[in-house]
Amino acid sequence: FPVVFLCGVQKGLLPLQRPGSAADAQEERRLFYVGMTRAKEELILSGSGEPSPFLPALPAADLEREELRPVGPTGKQLSLFDGL
């Protein structure tokens, strides 16, 4: 695929941590690798909070990190019917 988006690349989700259930970190790392290698031109990883422990294994020279700022409310409810 030209562009691949992988969302939820954060601690607790990758690898998945659930109470009472052991994560199969090796299998999740393998699937993460498979997802990343499907990108031909651009790979976009997103997450919030603490990053996944898998990220430090990626070459830092190939990464571009971008912090997004929260967008505040516009103060007006949008409508599909405005302007009709």
Side-chain angles (χ1 to χ4, degrees), residues 6-18 23-36 43-48 50-56 58:
L6 295 178
C7 303
V9 183
Q10 62 203 44
K11 185 176 181 181
L13 289 180
L14 189 65
L16 183 62
Q17 296 172 342
R18 291 184 301 183
D24 186 352
Q26 282 186 318
E27 177 65 6
E28 291 193 40
R29 185 182 300 271
R30 185 188 71 76
L31 291 172
F32 182 51
Y33 175 83
V34 168
M36 289 190 306
L43 171 65
I44 298 171
L45 305 174
S46 72
S48 63
E50 190 174 341
S52 168
F54 294 164
L55 290 180
L58 301 178

Side-chain angles (χ1 to χ4, degrees), residues 1-4 36-44:
F1 304 99
V3 179
V4 172
M36 289 190 306
T37 58
R38 296 305 175 248
K40 292 186 181 219
E41 296 172 22
E42 190 169 5
L43 171 65
I44 298 171

